[in-house]
Protein backbone atom coordinates (compact mmCIF):
# COMPACT_ATOMS: atom_id res chain seq x y z
CA UNK A 1 0.00 0.00 0.00
CA UNK A 2 1.38 3.41 -0.96
CA UNK A 3 1.93 6.07 1.68
CA UNK A 4 -0.43 8.99 1.38
CA UNK A 5 0.76 12.57 1.84
CA UNK A 6 -2.04 15.11 1.58
CA UNK A 7 -1.55 18.84 1.15
CA UNK A 8 -4.43 20.78 2.65
CA UNK A 9 -4.02 24.31 1.29
CA UNK A 10 -7.11 25.58 3.16
CA UNK A 11 -8.06 29.11 1.97
CA UNK A 12 -4.67 29.67 0.29
CA UNK A 13 -3.00 30.92 -1.88
CA UNK A 14 -4.62 34.14 -3.07
CA UNK A 15 -4.25 33.70 -6.84
CA UNK A 16 -4.38 30.97 -9.47
CA UNK A 17 -0.94 32.00 -10.62
CA UNK A 18 0.53 31.30 -7.19
CA UNK A 19 -1.43 28.04 -6.88
CA UNK A 20 -0.05 26.88 -10.24
CA UNK A 21 3.47 27.80 -9.21
CA UNK A 22 3.33 25.75 -5.99
CA UNK A 23 1.59 22.82 -7.69
CA UNK A 24 4.13 22.74 -10.48
CA UNK A 25 7.14 22.88 -8.14
CA UNK A 26 5.73 20.05 -6.01
CA UNK A 27 5.04 17.97 -9.11
CA UNK A 28 8.58 18.40 -10.34
CA UNK A 29 10.05 17.75 -6.89
CA UNK A 30 8.28 14.44 -6.33
CA UNK A 31 8.42 13.17 -9.93
CA UNK A 32 10.74 10.27 -9.16
CA UNK A 33 9.13 9.17 -5.92
CA UNK A 34 7.05 6.10 -6.61
CA UNK A 35 6.04 4.75 -3.21
CA UNK A 36 4.12 7.84 -2.09
CA UNK A 37 0.82 9.13 -3.39
CA UNK A 38 0.68 12.90 -3.09
CA UNK A 39 -2.74 14.55 -3.02
CA UNK A 40 -3.00 18.32 -3.35
CA UNK A 41 -6.22 19.87 -2.04
CA UNK A 42 -6.49 23.44 -3.34
CA UNK A 43 -9.52 25.71 -2.88
CA UNK A 44 -12.40 24.66 -5.18
CA UNK A 45 -11.91 27.60 -7.53
CA UNK A 46 -8.39 26.46 -8.46
CA UNK A 47 -9.07 22.74 -8.77
CA UNK A 48 -9.74 22.48 -12.52
CA UNK A 49 -6.88 24.74 -13.58
CA UNK A 50 -4.12 24.27 -11.02
CA UNK A 51 -2.40 21.65 -13.18
CA UNK A 52 -2.63 18.14 -14.55
CA UNK A 53 -2.65 15.13 -12.27
CA UNK A 54 0.08 12.52 -12.67
CA UNK A 55 0.21 8.90 -11.48
CA UNK A 56 1.68 10.03 -8.15
CA UNK A 57 0.24 13.55 -7.78
CA UNK A 58 -3.53 13.71 -7.49
CA UNK A 59 -6.01 16.48 -6.80
CA UNK A 60 -8.39 16.31 -3.87
CA UNK A 61 -11.12 18.48 -2.34
CA UNK A 62 -11.22 20.05 1.12
CA UNK A 63 -14.95 19.64 1.53
CA UNK A 64 -18.15 18.60 -0.26
CA UNK A 65 -21.93 18.81 0.16
CA UNK A 66 -24.10 15.72 0.68
CA UNK A 67 -26.74 16.26 -2.03
CA UNK A 68 -26.31 15.42 -5.68
CA UNK A 69 -27.74 18.63 -7.16
CA UNK A 70 -30.34 21.33 -6.65
CA UNK A 71 -31.06 24.54 -4.79
CA UNK A 72 -28.08 24.65 -2.39
CA UNK A 73 -26.50 28.02 -3.08
CA UNK A 74 -22.75 28.00 -2.83
CA UNK A 75 -22.30 24.25 -2.47
CA UNK A 76 -20.36 21.67 -4.52
CA UNK A 77 -21.64 18.10 -4.94
CA UNK A 78 -19.67 14.84 -4.93
CA UNK A 79 -20.75 14.25 -8.54
CA UNK A 80 -19.24 17.57 -9.59
CA UNK A 81 -15.97 16.58 -7.96
CA UNK A 82 -16.01 13.17 -9.55
CA UNK A 83 -16.77 14.58 -12.99
CA UNK A 84 -13.89 17.02 -12.71
CA UNK A 85 -11.39 14.20 -12.11
CA UNK A 86 -11.03 14.61 -8.36
CA UNK A 87 -10.49 11.38 -6.38
CA UNK A 88 -10.00 12.27 -2.72
CA UNK A 89 -12.16 14.36 -0.39
CA UNK A 90 -11.24 15.60 3.07
CA UNK A 91 -14.31 15.38 5.27
CA UNK A 92 -14.96 16.50 8.84
CA UNK A 93 -11.93 18.75 9.20
CA UNK A 94 -11.96 20.48 12.60
CA UNK A 95 -12.02 23.93 10.97
CA UNK A 96 -15.27 23.01 9.25
CA UNK A 97 -16.63 21.63 12.50
CA UNK A 98 -15.67 24.86 14.25
CA UNK A 99 -16.52 27.63 11.75
CA UNK A 100 -19.38 25.94 9.93
CA UNK A 101 -20.76 23.97 12.86
CA UNK A 102 -20.42 20.64 11.08
CA UNK A 103 -21.59 17.99 13.50
CA UNK A 104 -20.79 14.27 13.37
CA UNK A 105 -24.29 13.76 11.92
CA UNK A 106 -23.50 16.12 9.04
CA UNK A 107 -20.11 14.49 8.50
CA UNK A 108 -21.92 11.12 8.39
CA UNK A 109 -24.25 12.37 5.61
CA UNK A 110 -21.30 13.68 3.64
CA UNK A 111 -19.27 10.53 4.13
CA UNK A 112 -22.09 8.29 2.91
CA UNK A 113 -22.51 10.37 -0.24
CA UNK A 114 -18.76 10.42 -0.87
CA UNK A 115 -18.68 6.62 -0.64
CA UNK A 116 -21.72 6.29 -2.89
CA UNK A 117 -20.02 8.48 -5.49
CA UNK A 118 -16.88 6.31 -5.29
CA UNK A 119 -14.62 9.09 -4.17
CA UNK A 120 -12.03 8.31 -1.47
CA UNK A 121 -12.88 9.96 1.86
CA UNK A 122 -10.20 11.26 4.20
CA UNK A 123 -12.06 11.50 7.47
CA UNK A 124 -10.61 13.85 10.09
CA UNK A 125 -11.08 13.20 13.78
CA UNK A 126 -9.43 14.70 16.85
CA UNK A 127 -9.90 16.14 20.31
CA UNK A 128 -9.53 19.68 21.66
CA UNK A 129 -6.91 20.72 24.23
CA UNK A 130 -9.59 20.83 26.89
CA UNK A 131 -10.79 17.32 26.12
CA UNK A 132 -7.20 16.12 26.18
CA UNK A 133 -6.59 17.73 29.57
CA UNK A 134 -9.60 15.87 30.89
CA UNK A 135 -8.19 12.59 29.52
CA UNK A 136 -11.17 12.24 27.19
CA UNK A 137 -9.29 11.61 23.96
CA UNK A 138 -10.31 7.93 23.66
CA UNK A 139 -13.97 8.61 24.37
CA UNK A 140 -14.09 11.49 21.90
CA UNK A 141 -12.41 9.59 19.07
CA UNK A 142 -14.60 6.54 19.63
CA UNK A 143 -17.75 8.65 19.58
CA UNK A 144 -16.69 10.54 16.46
CA UNK A 145 -15.90 7.32 14.58
CA UNK A 146 -19.13 5.60 15.62
CA UNK A 147 -21.37 8.53 14.72
CA UNK A 148 -19.64 9.31 11.45
CA UNK A 149 -19.71 5.67 10.30
CA UNK A 150 -23.34 5.12 11.30
CA UNK A 151 -25.11 3.00 8.66
CA UNK A 152 -21.94 2.47 6.67
CA UNK A 153 -21.83 -1.31 6.17
CA UNK A 154 -18.61 -3.31 6.33
CA UNK A 155 -18.83 -3.95 2.63
CA UNK A 156 -19.19 -0.28 1.83
CA UNK A 157 -16.47 0.62 4.29
CA UNK A 158 -14.05 -1.73 2.60
CA UNK A 159 -14.94 -0.63 -0.90
CA UNK A 160 -14.60 3.04 0.04
CA UNK A 161 -10.86 2.77 0.77
CA UNK A 162 -11.56 5.22 3.59
CA UNK A 163 -8.58 6.89 5.26
CA UNK A 164 -8.81 8.24 8.79
CA UNK A 165 -6.65 11.22 9.75
CA UNK A 166 -5.96 11.76 13.42
CA UNK A 167 -5.80 15.52 13.72
CA UNK A 168 -5.65 16.66 17.35
CA UNK A 169 -7.07 20.18 17.33
CA UNK A 170 -4.41 21.40 19.76
CA UNK A 171 -1.72 20.46 17.25
CA UNK A 172 -3.19 22.13 14.17
CA UNK A 173 -1.34 25.28 13.15
CA UNK A 174 0.20 25.63 16.61
CA UNK A 175 3.73 24.38 15.95
CA UNK A 176 3.14 21.83 18.73
CA UNK A 177 2.82 18.47 17.02
CA UNK A 178 1.67 15.31 18.74
CA UNK A 179 4.46 13.06 20.09
CA UNK A 180 5.29 10.14 17.86
CA UNK A 181 4.54 7.61 20.64
CA UNK A 182 1.18 9.20 21.29
CA UNK A 183 0.33 9.19 17.57
CA UNK A 184 1.24 5.52 17.44
CA UNK A 185 -1.02 4.76 20.40
CA UNK A 186 -3.90 6.61 18.78
CA UNK A 187 -3.27 4.77 15.51
CA UNK A 188 -3.66 1.46 17.33
CA UNK A 189 -6.75 2.71 19.12
CA UNK A 190 -8.40 3.71 15.83
CA UNK A 191 -7.67 0.28 14.38
CA UNK A 192 -9.15 -1.35 17.48
CA UNK A 193 -12.33 0.74 17.21
CA UNK A 194 -12.72 -0.17 13.52
CA UNK A 195 -12.00 -3.81 14.26
CA UNK A 196 -14.82 -3.86 16.84
CA UNK A 197 -17.24 -2.02 14.55
CA UNK A 198 -16.43 -4.14 11.49
CA UNK A 199 -13.75 -6.82 11.58
CA UNK A 200 -10.03 -7.28 12.12
CA UNK A 201 -9.19 -7.74 8.40
CA UNK A 202 -11.07 -4.53 7.56
CA UNK A 203 -9.26 -2.64 10.29
CA UNK A 204 -5.90 -3.88 9.01
CA UNK A 205 -6.51 -2.45 5.55
CA UNK A 206 -7.40 1.00 6.82
CA UNK A 207 -4.93 3.82 6.12
CA UNK A 208 -4.37 5.98 9.18
CA UNK A 209 -2.83 9.43 8.78
CA UNK A 210 -1.52 12.00 11.21
CA UNK A 211 -2.03 15.76 10.83
CA UNK A 212 -1.11 18.78 12.98
CA UNK A 213 2.05 20.89 12.64
CA UNK A 214 3.78 18.37 10.39
CA UNK A 215 7.09 19.54 8.91
CA UNK A 216 10.14 17.99 7.28
CA UNK A 217 11.81 17.46 10.66
CA UNK A 218 9.03 15.51 12.38
CA UNK A 219 7.38 13.81 9.35
CA UNK A 220 9.50 10.66 9.23
CA UNK A 221 8.74 9.74 12.87
CA UNK A 222 5.02 9.28 12.20
CA UNK A 223 5.70 6.91 9.33
CA UNK A 224 8.83 5.05 10.39
CA UNK A 225 8.34 4.89 14.15
CA UNK A 226 4.61 5.29 14.69
CA UNK A 227 3.99 3.15 11.59
CA UNK A 228 1.16 5.27 10.23
CA UNK A 229 0.34 5.23 6.53
CA UNK A 230 0.34 8.93 5.75
CA UNK A 231 0.24 12.58 6.72
CA UNK A 232 -2.14 15.49 6.33
CA UNK A 233 -0.10 18.65 5.97
CA UNK A 234 -1.48 22.19 6.28
CA UNK A 235 0.87 25.17 6.58
CA UNK A 236 3.98 23.35 5.36
CA UNK A 237 2.25 22.23 2.17
CA UNK A 238 2.17 25.80 0.82
CA UNK A 239 5.97 25.96 0.80
CA UNK A 240 6.88 23.74 -2.12
CA UNK A 241 10.46 23.08 -0.98
CA UNK A 242 9.41 22.10 2.54
CA UNK A 243 6.57 19.91 1.28
CA UNK A 244 8.86 18.11 -1.19
CA UNK A 245 11.25 17.47 1.71
CA UNK A 246 8.41 15.92 3.71
CA UNK A 247 7.57 13.58 0.82
CA UNK A 248 11.25 12.69 0.37
CA UNK A 249 11.96 11.91 4.02
CA UNK A 250 9.05 9.51 4.31
CA UNK A 251 9.60 7.77 0.95
P1 LIG B 1 -1.12 22.31 9.98
O1 LIG B 1 -2.61 21.92 9.56
O2 LIG B 1 -0.18 21.36 9.28
O3 LIG B 1 -0.94 23.72 9.50
O4 LIG B 1 -1.04 22.18 11.46
C1 LIG B 1 -2.99 20.58 9.42
C2 LIG B 1 -4.45 20.49 9.02
O5 LIG B 1 -5.26 21.29 9.48
O6 LIG B 1 -4.83 19.61 8.23
Amino acid sequence: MKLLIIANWKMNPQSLQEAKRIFDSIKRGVRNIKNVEVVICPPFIFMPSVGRQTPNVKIGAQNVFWEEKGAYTGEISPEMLKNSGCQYVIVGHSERRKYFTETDEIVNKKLKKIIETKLIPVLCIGETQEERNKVKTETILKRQIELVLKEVSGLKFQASRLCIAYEPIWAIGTGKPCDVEEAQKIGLLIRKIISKLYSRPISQKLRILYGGSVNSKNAAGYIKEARLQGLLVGGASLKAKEFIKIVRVVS
Side-chain angles (χ1 to χ4, degrees), residues 8 10 93 95 167 171-174 211-214 232-236:
N8 177 11
K10 309 192 180 184
H93 191 281
E95 285 152 15
E167 291 223 310
I172 296 179
T174 58
S213 297
V214 171
L232 183 43
V233 188

Side-chain angles (χ1 to χ4, degrees), residues 43-171:
F44 283 134
I45 193 167
F46 301 147
M47 284 177 69
S49 30
V50 71
R52 266 178 195 275
Q53 306 190 66
T54 65
N56 63 339
V57 180
K58 303 278 195 287
I59 292 174
Q62 300 173 17
N63 177 39
V64 73
F65 193 57
W66 64 78
E67 291 289 352
E68 207 172 299
K69 59 180 175 184
Y72 304 101
T73 303
E75 292 298 328
I76 305 273
S77 76
E79 281 74 10
M80 291 172 185
L81 292 180
K82 179 96 182 170
N83 294 335
S84 75
C86 164
Q87 297 179 21
Y88 288 86
V89 188
I90 298 173
V91 64
H93 191 281
S94 60
E95 285 152 15
R96 297 221 46 98
R97 294 179 191 252
K98 177 178 170 191
Y99 297 112
F100 307 95
T101 52
E102 270 188 22
T103 58
D104 287 315
E105 288 71 23
I106 291 177
V107 180
N108 169 256
K109 278 199 201 183
K110 291 187 171 191
L111 184 77
K112 284 195 281 197
K113 197 67 196 178
I114 293 169
I115 293 176
E116 220 178 277
T117 315
K118 299 194 165 54
L119 291 161
I120 304 174
V122 180
L123 167 66
C124 300
I125 56 169
E127 82 286 9
T128 63
Q129 180 70 61
E130 201 189 338
E131 288 159 348
R132 184 175 187 235
N133 294 345
K134 291 186 185 154
V135 204
K136 285 201 168 147
T137 304
E138 276 201 41
T139 321
I140 298 290
L141 298 184
K142 188 162 176 280
R143 196 178 60 208
Q144 285 177 344
I145 292 175
E146 283 173 0
L147 290 175
V148 162
L149 289 175
K150 204 168 156 209
E151 291 163 358
V152 176
S153 70
L155 217 62
K156 279 200 177 141
F157 183 100
Q158 209 163 5
S160 72
R161 292 179 286 156
L162 172 79
C163 310
I164 297 186
Y166 171 53
E167 291 223 310
I169 296 167
W170 48 269

